[in-house]
Amino acid sequence: MWLKDWADSQSLPLGIGIDVVTVSELAALDERLKGVFVRRTFTEAERRAAEEADDYWVFLAGRFAVKEAVFKALAHLTPEKTFDFRMVETLSAPDGSPHVTLSPALGKLLRCAGAERILVSISNEGDYAVALAQASRRIT
């Protein structure tokens, strides 16, 4: 993701979200729940990508941080103030950068919020994963 994507003079930021996840706590939570957390939180494509990643739990922690960050960037713009995390699917572009796929459910949520796109960034350091999300729309 390039700076021009985040600071585009033709886009109006509507919401920003950030989240930090402790990798070991995420793994421990899923272990306590016997795998239910991962199955109910991540899409099939995210789970497959995690299996192929260098570190399964670091990958999922980053994706969970994105789900939380997108929630913080968007939910306040919707009447319900909530949504299902599974509609936020974060995969990798060919260059490795993360991107949120636009499912029909997420598209509907974006329209409801008055947004057109979600930009995300993920970083990992030690036992932590952090994600930033920006919801924006084009200025007409």
Side-chain angles (χ1 to χ4, degrees):
M1 194 65 47
W2 299 97
L3 180 58
K4 68 178 179 54
D5 294 320
W6 289 84
D8 180 350
S9 65
Q10 299 301 308
S11 293
L12 176 66
L14 300 172
I16 297 173
I18 188 168
D19 196 66
V20 178
V21 173
T22 307
V23 177
S24 59
E25 288 180 12
L26 187 80
L29 171 65
D30 192 60
E31 184 177 324
R32 282 193 311 275
L33 296 175
K34 299 181 181 358
V36 171
F37 178 77
V38 167
R39 285 191 309 274
R40 290 193 178 165
T41 306
F42 298 96
T43 67
E44 185 178 327
E46 288 171 321
R47 293 191 307 268
R48 273 195 316 269
E51 293 288 345
E52 297 172 3
D54 290 339
D55 188 311
Y56 179 84
W57 291 111
V58 167
F59 181 92
L60 288 180
R63 274 36 187 196
F64 187 67
V66 167
K67 292 172 187 295
E68 289 277 2
V70 169
F71 174 81
K72 292 170 183 176
L74 275 180
H76 73 282
L77 300 170
T78 66
E80 294 82 16
K81 310 289 186 230
T82 189
F83 62 82
D84 184 341
F85 279 164
R86 287 172 291 193
M87 77 170 65
V88 179
E89 179 181 71
T90 307
L91 300 175
S92 298
D95 67 1
S97 64
H99 68 91
V100 174
T101 60
L102 189 58
S103 67
L106 184 57
K108 182 177 177 182
L109 181 72
L110 285 173
R111 286 188 298 281
C112 179
E116 295 173 351
R117 67 182 183 164
I118 297 285
L119 298 173
V120 297
S121 182
I122 302 171
S123 187
N124 303 93
E125 183 63 42
D127 198 33
Y128 299 98
V130 63
L132 179 69
Q134 175 183 287
S136 63
R137 69 174 169 85
R138 288 282 187 202
I139 299 172
T140 55

